[in-house]
Amino acid sequence: MEEVVQKIHEGSTLWKVRGVNKWFHRHYKVDVDNMSLVGESKKWWSPGGGLGSDGPENAVPLLEVTEVREGWRTDTFNKVSSHSEKLKEKAPAGEEPLLEENRCFSVIHGAGGREVLDLVASSEEERDAWVSGLAYLVQSVKVLHEERQYDVWLRKQFEEADKDNNGSLNFNECCALLKQLNIKMDKIHAKKLFNQANTSKLKRDGEQVLEVDEFVSFYHSLLQMPEVEKLFKKYASEKTLLMSADQLLTFLQRDQGLSSMDVTGATKLINEYELSDLKDKGYMTQDGFYHMLLSDMFDVFNSHHQNNIHQDMNHPLSHYFISSSHNTYLTGHQLAGESSVEGYISALKKGCRLLELDVWDGDGGEPIIYHGHTLTSKITLADVLRDGIKAYAFEASPYPVILSIENHLSIDQQKVMVKLMKEILGDMLLTEPVSEDLIAVPSPESMKNKVIVRAKKPQGNEVESDDDDDDQDTIDYIDSDDGASQSKKKPHKPLAPELREVVNVCEGKKFISFQNAYETYKCVNTPSIGEIKAKSLFESNPDDFLKFTERNVTKVYPLGTRTDSSNLKPYPFWSVGCQIVALNMQTEDKANFYNDALFRTNGICGYVLKPGILLREEPYSPTELTDRYMKVLRVTILSGQHLPNSAKKGDIVDPYVQVKVRGHPQDQQKQRTKVVKNNGFNPVWGETLELTIQVPQVSLVYFSLRDESSLARDPVLALCCIPFTSLATGYRFVHLTNLAGKSLAPSALFVHVEIGDK
C-alpha cells in the first residue's frame, strides 16, 4: 500500500475543474493515517483570465469513494468537452488544446455516489498512476473495513475523542467517550479494566493513558452480550466452556433449522470464525461463537437471497416486480433541481432497471433531458446514453434495462433520438419487432444485456398523431386525475415512424379502464397511471388490478404536485401485482427503504418474481381473504448492542424496538417492546412480539429502534426491513441502518424468529 501511495505522490499537483471557466491548481495527497484524499491550499485560474487562491478543501474518505472514472464522463467534463470543441474550431492551427481528455479523471464519492471531484493531471502517465493507485487503495480500504469493521469503527471514535491529537486518552477522556457510545457503567469496574488494558504503562501529565490499540482492547473487555453468552453455555461443555463440532451441529440443527448441516460443515464454521488456536483442536470459544452469529449466514435477512439471483428468470416480464426510477435525471427538487448523468449512473449501480428520460427539443437539433417548463438544468440525451446507460447498464445486473421515454420532441428530433440510440447503444438496443400473435412478453432471461425502449409508437409507416396521449409527468401538464387541474390543454404530439424501429416489447398505451384494456390491449401494451388514479383503482377494483397486471406491465408514478421529490407508498400497488412503482430515488425516505428491501430478495438484480398468488398459480382474491395463507410471526427481541445516539436528545438513550408489518391493507399492524432506561450499549429486552399475517407473500417486516422522549415524538435511531419471504428463522442478528440504507455497524439487535401456522 505504501508503494502505491508513494507512486501517486511523485506527481500530486492536479487541476480541479469546477466549470468551463474555472479551474483550481491544488496539491493532492493520500492521508494514510485517515485513509482519505486530501486537497491542500489552492490557486484558481480561469481560462478567460483571472487568478486567486483559497484554503484546503474537505477530505474525501476512501471508504466513501464509489468509483474512479477516466476521461470526460461527468456533467462538468461534458460541458468542458463541448466548450473545448468550440475553442478548437477558433484556435490557430497547431495550437495545443487547453484540456485533453487523456489527462482527466473523476473521483465519485459521497452518499449514493452523487458527489464528484473532477481532476486534470499534467500528463496521461500521471493520470493513469492516480486512477490505478486510487482504485487499488479504495478496494484495499473496503476489504479492511469489512474484515475489521468493529476495530475500524472504534479507531474512528478514538480519533474523534482525541481532541489534542496526542494519540492517547486518559481515564476521564475514556469515560466521556464511553458515555458518548451509550455505555453507562460503574467507574470502579471501568477503572479496573482500564488498568488491565494499559499494558504499555504509558503516562501523560502524570496520568495513565491508553493508546488506540489499548483502547480497542479496553472496549472489547467491556463487551458483554448476556443473551449470546447464555445461548453459548446452553450447548458448550460445562467443564471447559468450549464448543465442539458435534455441539455446534446440535445448535445449528435444533435452533437454526439447518437439518442438512453435518459435522463437516460445523467444523468448517469453527475453522472460519474461531480466532484462537483452539480451532486446530476442533473447538470454538464464546468469542468465536459470537463472531459466527454476526456473519452473513446468521443475518435475519436470508443471506442466500441477498447474495444470489436464486429465482427463475424465465417467466414473462410481466411476472416480475421491476426496480424503477421516476425522473431519474434529477438529483433534488422537481422544479429547480439539478439534472445530471450521475442520477442515471447512481440508479443503475443500485440495480434499478427502469429509467425515465424526459426528452425535449434542444439547441442545434440535439435532444435534451430535463423537467420541462421548470428551472431544472438541462443535459443532453447523447451524454446520458453514452456516459450513463451504455457505460453502466449492466454493471450491477445482467437483466434488461428499460428506458421509459416521456416524448416531447418534434418529428425531426424524434428521428435524431432514434439515431442516437442506435449509434450509441449498438447491439445493446433491442430492435427486433414482436410478432402480432405474441401472447406473453419475453422473459428477463431471454433479454439479458439488452436495453428496451418503452414509449408510444405509430401503428403505420407515416407520421401519426398521438391521439392516445396520456399521463405526462411534467409540472404544467399535471393530470386532473392526479388532484390538480391542467394549466393548459395538452396538444397531441405527432409520432415519427422511426420510433417503430426501437419500440417493441414495452409499447405505451393510454389507460381508460380495466374493461377497455381487456378488450383492446395486446400483451406488449404498458400504461402509465398517475398516483391518484392508481390509488382509486386499487381501492375500488383490486381484483381487476391483479388480473390486469398478470399479463400487462403497468407503471404507477408519483403525484405531479410532489415537487419536493417525495414518494408514494409502493407496497399497496405491489400487493396487487403492479410491476413498476416509479420512485424518486434521490430522496431518502421510507418508500425507497421498502423498495431496497424488496429488491434485495433476488441478488439486487432489479427483478423479483411475483409470488404465486399474484400469478393465479394459487387461489387468491385480495378482497376475500381466508386463513389459507395465514402465518403467525413470533419475534423475540433478546438484546441490542452499540445502539446509536439520538441526535435530538444528545444523551444516553432509552431504547425500545417496534416491529411493523406492511403489505395487504388488512396486514397493517405493529407491536413494541418495553423501554430499557439509560442503556444503548447492551440493552436486554427478552420480549416476544407476536403478529398474525394474513397475506405473508406480499408482506414486509419493518424493525425500528426508537428512543423514548418526553419532549417530542420518539426519534427513530435505526431501521431494518425484510420481506416476509426472506426472513430467516432461529437466532439471528438484525443489522441496523439509517433511512438511506447506510450501515450503522456495529449497531445490531439479537433476536429469535419463529414462523408458524395460525
Side-chain angles (χ1 to χ4, degrees), residues 222-264:
L222 297 171
L223 184 63
Q224 295 180 12
M225 290 288 289
E227 299 304 310
V228 173
E229 183 179 352
K230 190 187 301 183
L231 182 61
F232 178 77
K233 287 180 177 179
K234 178 181 175 182
Y235 290 97
S237 167
E238 288 185 23
K239 286 185 178 181
T240 64
L241 286 181
L242 297 174
M243 188 180 282
S244 68
D246 285 329
Q247 290 165 330
L248 177 59
L249 180 61
T250 302
F251 161 69
L252 296 171
Q253 291 181 337
R254 185 180 298 171
D255 281 339
Q256 302 304 101
L258 299 174
S259 56
S260 61
M261 179 68 73
D262 57 20
V263 72
T264 302

Side-chain angles (χ1 to χ4, degrees), residues 658-697:
Q658 187 179 80
V659 180
K660 297 180 183 179
V661 175
R662 293 292 180 262
H664 189 282
Q666 292 191 32
D667 280 331
Q668 312 295 297
Q669 53 183 306
K670 61 185 177 183
Q671 299 282 344
R672 55 162 286 181
T673 66
K674 64 179 182 295
V675 174
V676 175
K677 292 289 186 181
N678 294 322
N679 190 348
F681 182 58
N682 57 358
V684 175
W685 288 281
E687 285 188 66
T688 299
L689 308 179
E690 185 173 298
L691 301 103
T692 301
I693 306 173
Q694 297 195 71
V695 195
Q697 298 94 325

